[in-house]
Amino acid sequence: MKWIHRLIGLLIVAAAVGVSLIILLPAFQGGGVWSEFIAGVETRRILVIAVCIGVVLAVTAYVLTGISSSSRVTYLSYETQYGNISISIKALQDFLGHLKTEFPAILALTPRVRVLDESLDVTLEIRVRAGAPIPEICRLIQERARNVIQEKIGVAAIREVEIKVEEIIKDKDAKVQELAPQPPTGEVP
């Protein structure tokens, strides 16, 4: 579909340049040439309408071929003794996003998961409160993410859990609470 989109785009650009040149050349020559051009356009009204409809259809086709009909869903698949399990990467990222609730010093958490051949790469982008012990928080959330993936998802092959501190937010009113993860209420995400 991409090549059709690019081809239609190329044709639209070529047509626009061609029509522009056809209009501009008589306009710059001025005088009688421009008057003859306008008279020619008036006598070829059906051709002008057909060209305009063609341009509208080409632009519509260009827009429609540029719209992606479905987003690609990537799955993490592995085999157990009972059969295959496939988990969408989006579901895994949403699941890891709930780790934010266990760490009061983390104000925002955006997980990114990449599936490699035999393992996972996990990146957690976080925003933390100013004054929080960042190295300790990073170590704890790395351990927690690794444990949650291994215990709750069933994937032991985790190549890396990377933490990216995107922002340190100064919050006048709130003080950093305890550093250790809070015990979960109910089922751990």
Side-chain angles (χ1 to χ4, degrees):
M1 189 69 102
K2 280 187 177 180
W3 69 271
I4 294 173
H5 181 72
R6 290 182 181 145
L7 178 65
I8 293 172
L10 183 65
L11 292 174
I12 290 172
V13 168
V17 169
V19 168
S20 296
L21 289 175
I22 289 172
I23 293 172
L24 286 175
L25 288 175
F28 280 119
Q29 291 177 356
V33 176
W34 178 250
S35 298
E36 289 174 23
F37 174 75
I38 295 297
V41 167
E42 288 177 354
T43 60
R44 296 184 186 113
R45 178 174 279 167
I46 301 296
L47 178 63
V48 171
I49 292 172
V51 168
C52 290
I53 289 174
V55 168
V56 169
L57 290 175
V59 169
T60 303
Y62 181 74
V63 169
L64 290 177
T65 58
I67 297 173
S68 179
S69 61
S70 65
S71 60
R72 292 183 69 136
V73 178
T74 306
Y75 288 91
L76 166 65
S77 297
Y78 57 95
E79 195 172 318
T80 67
Q81 64 185 14
Y82 304 108
N84 290 328
I85 297 176
S86 296
I87 302 171
S88 78
I89 296 302
K90 170 129 178 45
L92 180 56
Q93 289 172 340
D94 291 345
F95 181 74
L96 288 172
H98 294 290
L99 290 176
K100 173 184 158 281
T101 61
E102 297 179 27
F103 295 88
I106 295 178
L107 300 173
L109 185 143
T110 305
R112 308 262 186 247
V113 177
R114 275 188 38 214
V115 178
L116 305 172
D117 290 335
E118 297 293 324
S119 62
L120 292 178
D121 268 355
V122 178
T123 302
L124 301 174
E125 298 171 357
I126 61 173
R127 287 172 171 68
V128 297
R129 291 182 201 268
I134 293 173
E136 185 66 15
I137 289 173
C138 291
R139 182 186 63 77
L140 287 171
I141 198 163
Q142 281 175 316
E143 289 174 5
R144 185 70 178 124
R146 187 176 295 274
N147 288 341
V148 163
I149 292 170
Q150 289 172 343
E151 294 171 8
K152 300 294 182 183
I153 303 296
V155 176
I158 302 168
R159 188 178 74 115
E160 177 181 44
V161 177
E162 179 184 8
I163 305 295
K164 291 183 178 180
V165 178
E166 297 291 325
E167 189 175 358
I168 300 171
I169 300 172
K170 190 172 189 177
D171 191 348
K172 298 177 201 169
D173 301 330
K175 296 192 180 196
V176 177
Q177 299 171 5
E178 66 183 68
L179 174 63
Q182 297 173 344
T185 56
E187 183 64 25
V188 175

